[in-house]
Amino acid sequence: MQSDEIVWQIINQGHCSYKVKTSAETFCRNKYSVTGLCNRSSCPLSNSRYATILEDEGKLYLCMKTVERAHKPATLWHRVALHHNYADALNQIDELLSHWSRFIVHKSKQRLTKITQLLLRTRKAKRNNRSRIVTIPARRQKNEARREAKVCSSVYSEPLPTKALHRHKWLLN
């Protein structure tokens, strides 16, 4: 049997490959992390009962980890496809996680909201498909302006033979 507290102590005081420390906070890069923070309640490794929302190719899934599945790592996470309608997906989360901790239910709903908004923005951006505004570095602009000025001055100058005569006129006098 897995003891969640022992696993968390090892992860917290020892090494965790998903842990990223900054000066302010400690983050978790695990794809199943419901908050993205590294703490006891939101660690997918140290909780034997855990749930989160994942997005795969535009579809949302509720991923649940239970104690009964711990002996088979290949099927540790049970994925349930969520309804494409946001309100129906919220109700589906309420039904599936009715006996789970309020923290997991609340954070899963927050994650559903965040991912749904992200999907809406990406669909809208694809639909608009505007040309992107690209900045040109100032040095490149100056160089191109100099080149254009040189080309314009050579095009509008006098023909070469008369120019050569004027250049050598002082020698003749």
Side-chain angles (χ1 to χ4, degrees), residues 23 33 35 40 62 71 104 114 120 128 135 140:
S23 60
S33 178
T35 61
R40 170 73 178 92
L62 175 65
H71 69 285
I104 293 290
K114 185 175 78 170
L120 287 173
N128 288 347
T135 59
R140 188 185 299 167

Side-chain angles (χ1 to χ4, degrees), residues 134-160:
V134 180
T135 59
I136 301 172
R139 180 180 284 172
R140 188 185 299 167
Q141 279 184 327
K142 287 179 185 176
N143 289 343
E144 287 177 3
R146 273 193 225 112
R147 286 186 195 119
E148 287 175 10
K150 286 179 184 177
V151 168
C152 288
S153 67
S154 68
V155 168
Y156 294 118
S157 66
E158 298 176 23
L160 192 62

Side-chain angles (χ1 to χ4, degrees), residues 3-20:
S3 177
D4 293 346
E5 194 57 41
I6 293 171
V7 173
W8 171 247
Q9 286 176 357
I10 293 168
I11 288 173
N12 194 29
Q13 277 118 31
H15 173 73
C16 177
S17 59
Y18 297 110
K19 189 187 291 189
V20 177

